[in-house]
Amino acid sequence: MTVWFEDLQLGDFSEFSKTITEADVLMFAAVSGDNNPVHINQEYAEQTPFETRIAHGMLTASLISTVVGTQLPGHGTIYLSQSTRFKAPVRIGDTVTARATVIELNPDKHFVKLATQCSVRGKVVLEGESLVKAPSKP
């Protein structure tokens, strides 16, 4: 799916939801090389303030990329930057909803600024902003 720059309006938004699984966490650890025991070792994680294993913060943040790259603006979008503030942990079994909302449009460069957020059961676990270059109508 692609929303052309010319069709974007302030306030447009899109969401993507995913339940984080054991396999997601293990595969992310393998791909990223981040094998911090808080993610992969239950006994270790039980001794932390989280009291159980948590998903990688960047795994959660990657769901923003899903929204931006496949829905809004979608295919052909070029990521330029992402700011991210982690506000709460995501646990295995949590369903994360990632949301991107258009907050600024730069018609000269086809840049789009998006407010980004991830939530679990209505609680914000991540917030930030993305800057992307949206595709233009052919």
Side-chain angles (χ1 to χ4, degrees):
M1 172 178 165
T2 300
V3 180
W4 305 113
F5 179 86
E6 294 81 3
D7 296 329
L8 289 169
Q9 296 181 26
L10 295 178
D12 286 353
F13 72 92
S14 192
E15 294 181 334
F16 172 78
S17 294
K18 176 175 182 23
T19 300
I20 302 300
T21 68
E22 166 92 8
D24 294 328
V25 171
L26 294 177
M27 287 189 293
F28 194 87
V31 168
S32 68
D34 180 356
N35 57 6
N36 182 326
V38 75
H39 306 303
I40 61 173
N41 182 314
Q42 181 62 29
E43 289 180 13
Y44 177 89
E46 287 173 357
Q47 304 307 310
T48 71
F50 305 116
E51 299 178 343
T52 191
R53 293 169 51 209
I54 60 170
H56 301 75
M58 295 309 290
L59 171 57
T60 302
S62 74
L63 301 180
I64 300 288
S65 182
T66 301
V67 176
V68 170
T70 67
Q71 297 176 20
L72 184 72
H75 300 169
T77 299
I78 305 299
Y79 234 118
L80 300 173
S81 68
Q82 175 73 50
S83 68
T84 305
R85 290 175 299 283
F86 300 100
K87 303 189 62 81
V90 172
R91 292 173 173 78
I92 294 169
D94 283 348
T95 298
V96 178
T97 299
R99 179 183 178 115
T101 305
V102 177
I103 59 171
E104 190 176 309
L105 296 165
N106 178 334
D108 294 333
K109 297 184 177 183
H110 293 171
F111 288 177
V112 181
K113 186 181 284 186
L114 301 150
T116 55
Q117 185 180 77
C118 290
S119 60
V120 173
R121 292 180 297 283
K123 179 180 180 182
V124 175
V125 297
L126 174 159
E127 63 185 7
E129 288 184 351
S130 296
L131 181 64
V132 302
K133 182 175 174 88
S136 184
K137 287 184 177 177

